[in-house]
C-alpha cells in the first residue's frame, strides 16, 4: 500500500517556507524553479550544500536520511538499467521478496518510484534520502561495466586517454570528489593506484582519511581527467609534473595545485586545495596565548631585523607569515615577498614566485628585492647559506625580514643558521625573534570529542566524521633574542642552553602551551603528543 504522504502542493509550500527561513536571498529561485530542479539550482548558487538540502527534505517530509558512513557498494538490482536509475536518480539499495529500500535525492519522485517497483516487481518500497552527487556516483560504481580491464596498458595512447577522461561518469566522479573535499574542508586529495585497486583519501585537519576505493581499471580515466584539468601532459607518466586549475563550487572559485610523481603502480596524484574565501589571516585568531600574542605583536613592529617562524612542514608557518603581512600591510610600507609558490595573493603586496628553471631562486630573488627600496621583505624559506647571508645583510641595512626554517624548536633555528655557515656575531646582531609552532586538532564542539552524534546514539558525528576533532589551532613558543641570548649565541652555546635562557626570560615552551590548551578543553593530551612528539 502506498505510504501516507502530504499532497504535492502542501509539501512544496512547506519546503519553500523552510528554505526561505534559512536562505531568504533565494525567494525568486524558490518561486521560479520546480521542485525537481530546485535542489540542484540552490546548490549551484553556493550557500546551500547538498547535505543542507537532504536535512531540509528530511525535516519537511519525514523521510530518513542515510548515514553515509554506512553506505556500502550495493549489488545490482535485476532487470533494471543504469540509464533508468541515473535518469530518475534512484537506487535499489536493499531488498527481499517483499520489499525494497530505495535511495533517492529528491522526495518529489517518491510516488513514481513507489508505483514503478510495485507494478513491475511487486515490491513494496520505502525510502531513504541521500545527497544527489553521492547517489549518482554510487549508481555509476555499482552498474558501470568494467570493460576497460586492459586500460592500464593504454597509458601512451593519448587519444584513448582523452576519450576515457571525457566520459560522463568520470567527469561526475571527479567533480563529486572535488566538491566533497571542499565541503569537508580537506586541504589535500591523494589519489594512489595500488596492486588491486585505487584509493582516494582526503587530508582533513592534518590527518588522511579514506574517501573512496575504486577499481584499478578506472585509474587511467580519472588520472587523465585530473591531468587535463591541470593542463598536464596526459600521455606522460614517467616524469613528475605540476599544474594548477580553478574549480567553481557555487559562488566560490577554488584554486587547486596538482602534483604527480611516478610510482610502481602508476602515478601518485596529490591535489592541494586553496580556498581563498575561507582563509582569514588574523594573528589574533591563530591560537596564540595573550602573553605570546602581545610579545609577538611588539616584535613584528621593529623597524629592522630578522624574525623567523619555524616548525615542520604543515605546521602553519605560511598562514602565520601571511597574517603578519596582513597586519603590516599599509600604504606607509613597501612589502615584497619571494615565495615558492605564491599560495595566496594579498592586495597591496608585491609577490614574486621562485622559478628554478630560469634561475630565479630565493637567493637571486632576494638580491634583486633589496634594490626595490622595500620596508618589509618576506622570504618563503631560508634553505642555504647564500640566502641566509643576503637576508642578514638586508636586516642589518634597515629592512624587516621575515622567513621560515625547518627546525623542531625555536632555539634550534639559531644553531641551524650557524651550521649553514653564518657567523655567530651576525646571527646575534640580525636575529630578533624566533616563533616555533605546531598545528593541533580541536575537540569537535558538536560531539564534544566522542565522535558520536548527539542526536543519534551510536551513529558517527557528521561534523567531524567520527574523529572527535573539528578544525585546528596552533601551539607556540616565542624566543625573544635579548642580551642574554645574544651572549650565548656569540659564545657558541648549545640550543638546549639557549632554550634554558629563553625560558628563564619568559619563553613558554611549546609543550607547556599545548598542555594549557588541554586544560582549557581546546584539545586532548593525545593530540598534543601526536603533534609535538618530536619535542
Amino acid at each position: 500500500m502506498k505510504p501516507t504522504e502530504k499532497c504535492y502542493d502542501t509539501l512544496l509550500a512547506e519546503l519553500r517556507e523552510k528554505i526561505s527561513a534559512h536562505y531568504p536571498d533565494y525567494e525568486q529561485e524558490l518561486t521560479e524553479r520546480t521542485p525537481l530542479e530546485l535542489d540542484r539550482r540552490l546548490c549551484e548558487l553556493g550557500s546551500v550544500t547538498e547535505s543542507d538540502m537532504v536535512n531540509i527534505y528530511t525535516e519537511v517530509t519525514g523521510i530518513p536520511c542515510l548515514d553515509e558512513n554506512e553506505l556500502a557498494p550495493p549489488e545490482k538490482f535485476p532487470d533494471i538499467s543504469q540509464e533508468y536509475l541515473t535518469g530518475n536518480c534512484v537506487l535499489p539499495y536493499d531488498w527481499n521478496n517483499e520489499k525494497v529500500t530505495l535511495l533517492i535525492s529528491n522526495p518529489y519522485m517518491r510516488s513514481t518510484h513507489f508505483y514503478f517497483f510495485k507494478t513491475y516487481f511487486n515490491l513494496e518500497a520505502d525510502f531513504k534520502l541521500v545527497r544527489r552527487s553521492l547517489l549518482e556516483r554510487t549508481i555509476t560504481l555499482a552498474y558501470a561495466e568494467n570493460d576497460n580491464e586492459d586500460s592500464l596498458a593504454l597509458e601512451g595512447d593519448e587519444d584513448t586517454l582523452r576519450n576515457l577522461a571525457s566520459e560522463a561518469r568520470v567527469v561526475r566522479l571527479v567533480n563529486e570528489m572535488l566538491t566533497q573535499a571542499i565541503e569537508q574542508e580537506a586541504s589535500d586529495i591523494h589519489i594512489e593506484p595500488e596492486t588491486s585497486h585505487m584509493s582516494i583519501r582526503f587530508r582533513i585537519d592534518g590527518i588522511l582519511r579514506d574517501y573512496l576505493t575504486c577499481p584499478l581499471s578506472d585509474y587511467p580515466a580519472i588520472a587523465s581527467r585530473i591531468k587535463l584539468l591541470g593542463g598536464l601532459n596526459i600521455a606522460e607518466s614517467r616524469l613528475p609534473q605540476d599544474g594548477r586549475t580553478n574549480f567553481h563550487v557555487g559562488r566560490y572559485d577554488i584554486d587547486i595545485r596538482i602534483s604527480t610523481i611516478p610510482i610502481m603502480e602508476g602515478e601518485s596524484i596529490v591535489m592541494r586545495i586553496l580556498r581563498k574565501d575561507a582563509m582569514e589571516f588574523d594573528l589574533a585568531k591563530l591560537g596564540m596565548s595573550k602573553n605570546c600574542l602581545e610579545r609577538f605583536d611588539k616584535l613584528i613592529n621593529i623597524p629592522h631585523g630578522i624574525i623567523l617562524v619555524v616548525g615542520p612542514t604543515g605546521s602553519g608557518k605560511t598562514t602565520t607569515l601571511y597574517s603578519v603581512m596582513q597586519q603590516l600591510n599599509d600604504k606607509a610600507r613597501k612589502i615584497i615577498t619571494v615565495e615558492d609558490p605564491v599560495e595566496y595573493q594579498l592586495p597591496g603586496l608585491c609577490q614574486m614566485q621562485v622559478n628554478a628553471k630560469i634561475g630565479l631562486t630565493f637567493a637571486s630573488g632576494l638580491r634583486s628585492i633589496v634594490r626595490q627600496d622595500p620596508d618589509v621583505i618576506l622570504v618563503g624559506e631560508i634553505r642555504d647559506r647564500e640566502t641566509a647571508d643576503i637576508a642578514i645583510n638586508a636586516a642589518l641595512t634597515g629592512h624587516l625580514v621575515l622567513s621560515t626554517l625547518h627546525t623542531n624548536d625555536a632555539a634550534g633555528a639559531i644553531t641551524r643558521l650557524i651550521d649553514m655557515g653564518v657567523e655567530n656575531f651576525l646571527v646575534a646582531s640580525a636575529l630578533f625573534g624566533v616563533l616555533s609552532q605546531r598545528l593541533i586538532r580541536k575537540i569537535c564542539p558538536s560531539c564534544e570529542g566522542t565522535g558520536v552524534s548527539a542526536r543519534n546514539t551510536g551513529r558517527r558525528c557528521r561534523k567531524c566524521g567520527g574523529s572527535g576533532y573539528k578544525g585546528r589551532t596552533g601551539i607556540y613558543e616565542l624566543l625573544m633574542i635579548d642580551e642574554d641570548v645574544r651572549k650565548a649565541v656569540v659564545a657558541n652555546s648549545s640550543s638546549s642552553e639557549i632554550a634554558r635562557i629563553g625560558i628563564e626570560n619568559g619563553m613558554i615552551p611549546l609543550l607547556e602551551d599545548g598542555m594549557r590548551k588541554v586544560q582549557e578543553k581546546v584539545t586532548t593530551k593525545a593530540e598534543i603528543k601526536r603533534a609535538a612528539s618530536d619535542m
Side-chain angles (χ1 to χ4, degrees):
M1 189 170 172
K2 183 181 177 183
T4 2
E5 58 182 43
K6 300 170 185 175
C7 74
Y8 181 90
D9 291 337
T10 303
L11 196 57
L12 178 59
E14 289 187 13
L15 174 65
R16 286 179 169 156
E17 181 182 354
K18 179 70 70 173
I19 297 176
S20 294
H22 288 287
Y23 309 103
D25 295 339
Y26 296 147
E27 288 289 346
Q28 185 175 351
E29 291 290 338
L30 294 173
T31 304
E32 295 178 352
R33 300 284 170 171
T34 68
L36 292 179
E37 60 182 1
L38 186 61
D39 61 338
R40 189 187 292 275
R41 177 56 182 160
L42 289 177
C43 291
E44 287 173 355
L45 289 172
S47 291
V48 187
T49 67
E50 290 183 330
S51 297
D52 292 333
M53 290 303 303
V54 167
N55 291 333
I56 291 172
Y57 283 147
T58 296
E59 288 181 41
V60 173
T61 65
I63 302 174
C65 60
L66 180 74
D67 185 349
E68 294 182 7
N69 297 308
E70 299 174 358
L71 181 59
E75 297 180 5
K76 287 186 177 181
F77 190 84
D79 301 321
I80 197 166
S81 68
Q82 181 183 350
E83 289 72 19
Y84 173 84
L85 300 177
T86 303
N88 292 280
C89 217
V90 59
L91 176 64
Y93 185 65
D94 188 25
W95 60 85
N96 53 36
N97 293 330
E98 298 178 355
K99 188 177 180 181
V100 60
T101 297
L102 301 176
L103 301 185
I104 57 175
S105 64
N106 191 308
Y108 294 100
M109 289 287 286
R110 182 164 56 156
S111 297
T112 302
H113 301 322
F114 180 86
Y115 286 122
F116 177 82
F117 281 88
K118 182 66 176 175
T119 301
Y120 289 97
F121 301 103
N122 196 29
L123 293 174
E124 299 290 335
D126 61 11
F127 300 87
K128 287 191 176 181
L129 286 163
V130 68
R131 291 183 296 106
R132 178 189 291 269
S133 55
L134 176 60
L135 181 56
E136 290 176 345
R137 172 165 57 81
T138 305
I139 293 170
T140 297
L141 292 176
Y143 285 79
E145 296 295 335
N146 289 327
D147 52 3
N148 295 319
E149 292 182 0
D150 297 326
S151 58
L152 285 174
L154 299 173
E155 293 183 2
D157 189 339
E158 184 170 344
D159 290 338
T160 303
L161 290 174
R162 286 185 182 276
N163 290 336
L164 289 173
S166 301
E167 290 180 3
R169 70 181 188 90
V170 176
V171 173
R172 281 199 304 269
L173 195 151
V174 173
N175 287 348
E176 154 73 354
M177 175 183 68
L178 290 170
T179 301
Q180 279 303 294
I182 292 162
E183 285 189 8
Q184 294 182 34
E185 300 178 13
S187 60
D188 302 87
I189 302 172
H190 290 247
I191 301 164
E192 299 156 347
E194 300 182 23
T195 305
S196 58
H197 63 275
M198 176 184 66
S199 68
I200 301 176
R201 298 184 290 171
F202 293 167
R203 188 176 293 280
I204 301 173
D205 295 335
I207 303 296
L208 281 173
R209 299 184 193 173
D210 289 333
Y211 167 66
L212 183 64
T213 298
C214 294
L216 191 59
S217 56
D218 284 338
Y219 167 75
I222 293 171
S224 298
R225 176 66 186 169
I226 293 169
K227 285 183 176 182
L228 284 176
L229 289 175
L232 305 181
N233 183 354
I234 63 174
E236 179 58 74
S237 60
R238 300 163 299 173
L239 296 173
Q241 296 189 71
D242 293 294
R244 64 187 299 172
T245 186
N246 288 321
F247 185 71
H248 187 73
V249 179
R251 61 184 66 181
Y252 305 117
D253 283 317
I254 311 299
D255 190 16
I256 299 175
R257 309 285 171 84
I258 301 171
S259 171
T260 72
I261 61 169
I263 59 175
M264 293 301 294
E265 304 297 337
E267 289 176 282
S268 170
I269 301 174
V270 176
M271 308 172 74
R272 168 63 58 88
I273 298 171
L274 301 174
R275 183 175 170 179
K276 299 176 184 179
D277 66 284
M279 293 305 299
E280 188 174 13
F281 300 115
D282 186 345
L283 281 175
K285 296 181 179 180
L286 297 183
M288 293 185 193
S289 66
K290 183 180 179 181
N291 176 265
C292 180
L293 182 60
E294 289 175 352
R295 298 171 75 207
F296 191 63
D297 189 63
K298 290 179 182 178
L299 184 63
I300 63 176
N301 282 287
I302 60 175
H304 58 82
I306 293 181
I307 300 170
L308 294 176
V309 179
V310 304
T313 301
S315 58
K317 300 187 296 295
T318 299
T319 301
T320 298
L321 287 177
Y322 274 39
S323 298
V324 173
M325 293 295 105
Q326 193 82 306
Q327 185 161 318
L328 297 179
N329 189 13
D330 58 40
K331 293 184 179 180
R333 292 185 177 97
K334 170 87 169 184
I335 302 176
I336 307 181
T337 77
V338 53
E339 307 170 59
D340 183 21
V342 174
E343 293 195 8
Y344 296 96
Q345 291 180 287
L346 300 181
L349 271 62
C350 299
Q351 295 175 269
M352 179 193 304
Q353 182 162 304
V354 166
N355 188 343
K357 292 180 181 178
I358 60 173
L360 180 55
T361 63
F362 280 120
S364 61
L366 183 54
R367 191 180 290 109
S368 300
I369 283 175
V370 295
R371 295 194 287 270
Q372 287 281 310
D373 187 32
D375 296 291
V376 182
I377 301 171
L378 180 135
V379 184
E381 183 183 351
I382 295 178
R383 296 176 178 173
D384 51 45
R385 178 175 177 177
E386 185 181 10
T387 307
D389 284 340
I390 300 170
I392 285 175
N393 287 333
L396 293 174
T397 53
H399 305 90
L400 176 61
V401 180
L402 297 106
S403 189
T404 70
L405 275 177
H406 289 282
T407 63
N408 291 334
D409 60 3
I414 295 172
T415 54
R416 175 64 61 86
L417 289 173
I418 294 171
D419 289 343
M420 285 182 181
V422 182
E423 296 291 344
N424 296 46
F425 72 92
L426 289 176
V427 175
S429 301
L431 189 62
F432 276 71
V434 184
L435 181 73
S436 177
Q437 66 179 73
R438 299 286 190 283
L439 286 179
I440 56 168
R441 293 179 294 171
K442 298 190 292 185
I443 294 173
C444 174
S446 182
C447 67
E448 297 181 343
T450 63
V452 178
S453 172
R455 294 184 179 180
N456 301 290
T457 305
R459 298 180 73 177
R460 290 185 183 183
C461 172
R462 297 187 67 181
K463 292 289 186 182
C464 66
S467 69
Y469 299 97
K470 182 64 177 176
R472 290 193 289 179
T473 188
I475 55 175
Y476 303 89
E477 66 177 23
L478 177 60
L479 175 65
M480 305 290 285
I481 311 299
D482 55 21
E483 197 58 37
D484 292 336
V485 174
R486 287 194 171 91
K487 289 179 181 177
V489 174
V490 172
N492 205 26
S493 299
S494 65
S495 60
S496 57
E497 176 64 16
I498 293 172
R500 184 190 63 78
I501 295 171
I503 292 171
E504 288 180 354
N505 293 348
M507 180 179 79
I508 306 298
L510 204 63
L511 287 177
E512 186 175 328
D513 187 44
M515 294 312 297
R516 286 185 180 183
K517 287 183 169 61
V518 173
Q519 293 173 357
E520 294 167 359
K521 297 184 178 180
V522 174
T523 189
T524 63
K525 287 184 180 179
E527 179 61 11
I528 297 298
K529 183 178 180 181
R530 182 198 65 81
S533 58
D534 55 342
M535 297 299 296

